[in-house]
Amino acid sequence: NNIIEVFGAQVLGMTVGETGRFQQIWGSGAIAGMFAMGAMVFRGGMSKRTAITIGITGIGAALLLLAVGSLQANASLVNGSLAVMGFSNGLALVGTLTSMMEFSTDAERGAYIGIWGMSIAFASGFSSIASGQLVTGLIESGLMSPAYGFASIFTLEAFITLSSLWFLLQVKHPCFDAGRKPDHATAVEGVSS
């Protein structure tokens, strides 16, 4: 989240060095989530849909926890929510990437992965612009205090994140089932439908 350092400074009174730890906490959680995704799906038999759903739900819950941390100005709660968010992001990231790879044929895999990466970049760019504008419009304008403004932004982000579960449920493809891998004909059929 691109506004997290600003949040740490304005709500928690942290220095630049202290807010820099936020990325380390989030990143460590993400790496742990990636390894957990591999263990749960590839060795434990959990479906990718379930793992991705857990990841998205965890991100949404972490954002709501971050909102509570903002209202309480509680650095421990903020650090915990960032670790949960990173872990959940690792689950969702690996699950969606490996699913995308299985949606395509060998010949088209690179193009589909490129499209997937481009959509992530557009989403990140839009999120950065929108969250920055919300900080300006809600907090820097004086409309809300930093604690309430950031809590509102994190809550909105949580609901947007959780709404993506509806789109996930619309995808029907055998690669989401535990222990099943589609053949090329099934992959092409899933991509074209």
Side-chain angles (χ1 to χ4, degrees):
N1 199 325
N2 292 321
I3 60 172
I4 198 72
E5 282 86 5
V6 176
F7 158 75
Q10 291 186 0
V11 175
L12 302 175
M14 292 180 157
T15 65
V16 173
E18 291 170 327
T19 61
R21 288 194 63 235
F22 288 158
Q23 291 300 326
Q24 295 170 350
I25 293 167
W26 184 91
S28 298
I31 290 169
M34 290 177 189
F35 281 113
M37 174 67 181
M40 287 189 301
V41 172
F42 301 112
R43 300 200 180 188
M46 178 185 285
S47 74
K48 288 182 186 158
R49 183 183 311 274
T50 301
I52 295 168
T53 300
I54 291 169
I56 291 171
T57 303
I59 293 168
L63 284 164
L64 291 173
L65 194 60
L66 197 55
V68 172
S70 176
L71 293 174
Q72 296 181 357
N74 185 325
S76 296
L77 195 56
V78 168
N79 288 338
S81 67
L82 290 172
V84 170
M85 189 186 309
F87 181 84
S88 301
N89 189 67
L91 287 178
L93 180 70
V94 174
T96 56
L97 180 58
T98 56
S99 295
M100 176 57 76
M101 291 173 71
E102 291 179 14
F103 284 173
S104 62
T105 63
D106 289 339
E108 297 173 329
R109 187 162 291 143
Y112 283 104
I113 297 303
I115 292 168
W116 179 86
M118 190 170 64
S119 68
I120 295 293
F122 276 120
S124 295
F126 177 76
S127 169
S128 297
I129 292 168
S131 60
Q133 287 301 312
L134 286 170
V135 168
T136 300
L138 295 177
I139 300 166
E140 292 176 1
S141 69
L143 188 63
M144 291 184 169
S145 70
Y148 281 100
F150 281 106
S152 299
I153 293 168
F154 296 141
T155 301
L156 176 63
E157 289 178 344
F159 284 112
I160 291 170
T161 299
L162 292 171
S163 71
S164 69
L165 289 172
W166 181 84
F167 295 101
L168 176 64
L169 294 174
Q170 304 311 305
V171 178
K172 308 294 184 217
H173 198 279
C175 81
F176 279 128
D177 297 331
R180 289 188 58 191
K181 292 206 176 213
D183 58 20
H184 291 302
T186 307
V188 172
E189 179 183 341
V191 170
S192 61
S193 58

